[in-house]
């Protein structure tokens, strides 16, 4: 419980600020630099997310980036749920962490595409729907071996899954998260339509 002198507005402001700053940490850059790998900005798509980390050839770096990017979505929402436990506060933390990943203050507002952080926040907000979306991602990735297609499909499924599974209060947030991910994937969508989107691949180093 928050102290009595802390107003709901103050609480939401602190949650939003803290979640955004955590979401702004570009773990892809941190991990690849610590492991002495190529500069993510100079390879592949130039993105800081897991898919581009995989293009360095290091499975370990890609897996660590995935876990950390999911964690920066999961941790603030879970912490907010533990301290306050209100839907509004949890959704505020979710959106703030997600926006931090997309537009990180630490890296000139040039962030990732949000898929891992998306899965982190929905794992707390709607666990069953998150599992379904993860299965959709895995199925699409296995069938087509195109990461962006798997992500776009999974995020499109989430708003429907959330409603069907009893999370009607997440409708607006789920549509917003999905829309932002699709917007960040606009270049991928163009390549998908042209048939030139690269498939999941890597040079094995570890």
């Amino acid at each position: 419980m928050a102290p009595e002198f802390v107003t709901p507005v103050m609480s939401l402001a602190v949650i939003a600020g803290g979640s955004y700053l955590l979401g702004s940490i570009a773990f892809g850059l941190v991990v690849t630099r610590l492991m002495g790998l190529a500069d993510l900005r100079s390879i592949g798509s130039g993105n800081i997310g897991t898919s581009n980390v995989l293009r360095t050839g290091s499975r370990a770096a890609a897996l660590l980036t995935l876990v950390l990017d999911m964690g920066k979505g999961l941790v603030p929402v879970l912490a907010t749920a533990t301290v306050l436990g209100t839907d509004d506060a949890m959704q505020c933390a979710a959106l703030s962490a997600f926006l931090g990943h997309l537009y990180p203050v630490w890296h000139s507002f040039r962030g990732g595409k949000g898929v891992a952080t998306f899965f982190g926040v929905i794992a707390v907000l709607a666990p069953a729907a998150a599992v379904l979306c993860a299965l959709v991602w895995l199925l699409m990735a296995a069938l087509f071996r195109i990461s962006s297609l798997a992500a776009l499909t999974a995020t499109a499924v989430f708003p429907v899954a959330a409603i069907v599974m009893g999370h009607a209060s997440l409708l607006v947030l789920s549509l917003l998260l999905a829309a932002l991910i699709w917007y960040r994937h606009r270049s991928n969508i163009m390549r998908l339509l042209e048939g030139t989107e690269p498939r999941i691949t890597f040079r094995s180093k570890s």
Side-chain angles (χ1 to χ4, degrees):
M1 295 291 293
E4 291 184 3
F5 65 86
V6 178
T7 67
V9 173
M10 289 173 61
S11 296
L12 289 178
V14 171
I15 289 168
S19 299
Y20 172 79
L21 292 176
L22 178 59
S24 288
I25 301 174
F27 284 116
L29 289 175
V30 174
V31 168
T32 52
R33 287 175 182 173
L34 289 177
M35 295 180 69
L37 301 173
D39 183 354
L40 287 183
R41 300 291 189 183
S42 65
I43 64 172
S45 64
N47 191 261
I48 63 171
T50 302
S51 295
N52 213 37
V53 174
L54 192 58
R55 293 188 179 101
T56 66
S58 175
R59 295 182 187 183
L63 178 60
L64 184 56
T65 300
L66 174 64
V67 171
L68 290 172
D69 279 352
M70 289 182 64
K72 70 184 183 183
L74 185 150
V75 169
V77 181
L78 187 59
T80 300
T82 302
V83 175
L84 295 179
T86 65
D87 285 345
D88 287 347
M90 291 168 64
Q91 291 190 42
C92 175
L95 180 59
S96 299
F98 184 76
L99 290 174
H101 180 74
L102 265 57
Y103 306 104
V105 66
W106 313 122
H107 301 283
S108 304
F109 303 101
R110 295 173 55 215
K113 296 183 179 179
V115 179
T117 305
F118 165 81
F119 275 107
V121 301
I122 68 172
V124 182
L125 295 174
V131 170
L132 175 61
C133 290
L135 292 174
V136 169
W137 191 99
L138 290 170
L139 177 62
M140 295 298 290
L143 288 175
F144 300 100
R145 296 190 63 81
I146 301 177
S147 179
S148 60
L149 180 61
L152 291 168
T153 307
T155 53
V157 165
F158 179 67
V160 177
I163 299 304
V164 170
M165 295 180 178
H167 298 282
S169 63
L170 294 179
L171 178 59
V172 174
L173 177 66
S174 64
L175 289 173
L176 180 56
L177 296 182
L180 285 168
I181 288 176
W182 277 62
Y183 174 74
R184 297 288 286 184
H185 279 80
R186 57 196 184 278
S187 60
N188 302 85
I189 293 171
M190 291 301 297
R191 288 193 295 270
L192 285 169
L193 294 173
E194 295 167 354
T196 59
E197 180 73 342
R199 296 178 180 272
I200 298 172
T201 184
F202 55 87
R203 305 181 308 278
S204 181
K205 289 182 182 177
S206 60

